[in-house]
Amino acid sequence: KKQNKAFEADLVKVEGKKPKIKNEEEAKALLERCNGEYIVSSISKKQKKKQPKLPFTTSTMQQEASTKLGFGAKKTMSVAQKMYVGLITYMRSDSSRLSDIFVSDAKEFITNTYGKEYVGHVHQKNGKNTQDAHEAIRPTNINRTPESIKDHLTNDQYRLYSLIYARTLASLMKDAVYDVTSVKIANNDLEFSASGQTMTLDGYYKVYSKYEKQSDALLPKL
């Protein structure tokens, strides 16, 4: 069974030195030197983890709503204002803090919905000048899922609430875990390198993949 698949590798060394290709002619000359076999000279594997981001502050909510939903800052605050008192906490906050009661309820929700292995821990990073009078911007009730209240929201409200909900829930979930493989490949006196990664535990991507796309760059079995 044929398993080899084409993949890209970068030229990193020529005769042991970093290549300096000045023009097309030199590039073609190097290409002509690749007339031997491509030999895998080393393979290294390691594990990499990626933490979820903190719950929203006003500025991070505006940034994410801009890039993910196409909302301007003014629109984001206007839509959030209409959901304040009932659906979300106060939308003007520079704190990433979550109340102990909310964290406890959210961890129970994660356990019941996705399994205990998805429960993470609280990430918190408040600066010296942070006014901690408010919590992070979060749903008032983690059991009030976006789908369960969709019929009671406008489209803009539903989209922003879904983003806030997913960001808050993801912040309390496990890191995503990857297996990263790096290979070096030799052909005559040229050396190439390539790397690929495969997600082995989706962790917080289980709920945040819609907003934080990840594409696995896969290498064939070498």
Side-chain angles (χ1 to χ4, degrees):
K1 185 178 179 181
K2 190 175 181 181
Q3 292 184 329
N4 293 334
K5 294 181 180 179
F7 62 94
E8 291 187 359
D10 296 323
L11 176 64
V12 291
K13 288 183 180 179
V14 176
E15 297 177 358
K17 297 179 181 179
K18 187 177 179 180
K20 294 180 180 179
I21 305 171
K22 298 175 184 176
N23 51 48
E24 183 180 359
E25 187 179 347
E26 290 186 4
K28 286 182 176 179
L30 286 173
L31 188 61
E32 289 175 2
R33 289 168 69 172
C34 297
N35 54 13
E37 286 187 313
Y38 286 93
I39 300 169
V40 176
S41 54
S42 73
I43 299 176
S44 63
K45 295 184 179 183
K46 62 181 179 179
Q47 192 179 77
K48 182 179 80 172
K49 294 183 178 181
K50 187 173 182 183
Q51 276 188 358
K53 293 178 181 175
L54 295 170
F56 280 139
T57 61
T58 300
S59 62
T60 57
M61 178 180 70
Q62 289 175 335
Q63 291 164 13
E64 198 80 336
S66 173
T67 58
K68 303 301 191 295
L69 307 179
F71 288 5
K74 187 175 180 181
K75 178 175 181 177
T76 298
M77 298 307 288
S78 175
V79 174
Q81 175 74 52
K82 292 180 173 66
M83 294 190 290
Y84 172 54
V85 183
L87 295 181
I88 64 170
T89 53
Y90 192 49
M91 63 283 167
R92 294 194 181 277
S93 174
D94 60 356
S95 170
S96 61
R97 179 177 61 84
L98 296 172
S99 76
D100 292 342
I101 294 174
F102 178 82
V103 169
S104 178
D105 289 344
K107 287 186 174 182
E108 183 179 354
F109 178 88
I110 294 167
T111 298
N112 294 337
T113 308
Y114 304 105
K116 192 173 183 179
E117 67 273 18
Y118 280 92
V119 177
H121 58 276
V122 177
H123 299 279
Q124 193 166 318
K125 186 179 179 182
N126 290 334
K128 290 186 293 184
N129 299 321
T130 298
Q131 300 297 315
D132 203 27
H134 301 288
E135 290 184 62
I137 303 166
R138 62 162 176 84
T140 52
N141 187 336
I142 198 64
N143 292 299
R144 196 176 286 125
T145 63
E147 288 302 321
S148 70
I149 59 172
K150 185 175 182 179
D151 292 343
H152 304 282
L153 302 175
T154 65
N155 185 51
D156 285 344
Q157 288 171 344
Y158 172 72
R159 293 177 69 203
L160 183 59
Y161 182 78
S162 297
L163 179 62
I164 294 169
Y165 185 94
R167 175 73 166 234
T168 308
L169 192 61
S171 74
L172 296 170
M173 296 177 73
K174 279 276 180 68
D175 297 351
V177 181
Y178 299 88
D179 279 342
V180 181
T181 302
S182 300
V183 300
K184 290 182 179 179
I185 302 159
N187 189 321
N188 290 328
D189 52 6
L190 278 62
E191 184 180 295
F192 300 82
S193 73
S195 64
Q197 62 182 24
T198 306
M199 186 182 286
T200 56
L201 175 67
D202 51 1
Y204 75 94
Y205 279 115
K206 179 72 80 173
V207 299
Y208 211 65
S209 60
K210 179 179 178 182
Y211 305 107
E212 197 172 298
K213 301 294 184 185
Q214 286 293 313
S215 57
D216 285 356
L218 300 176
L219 292 175
K221 189 174 182 180
L222 299 170

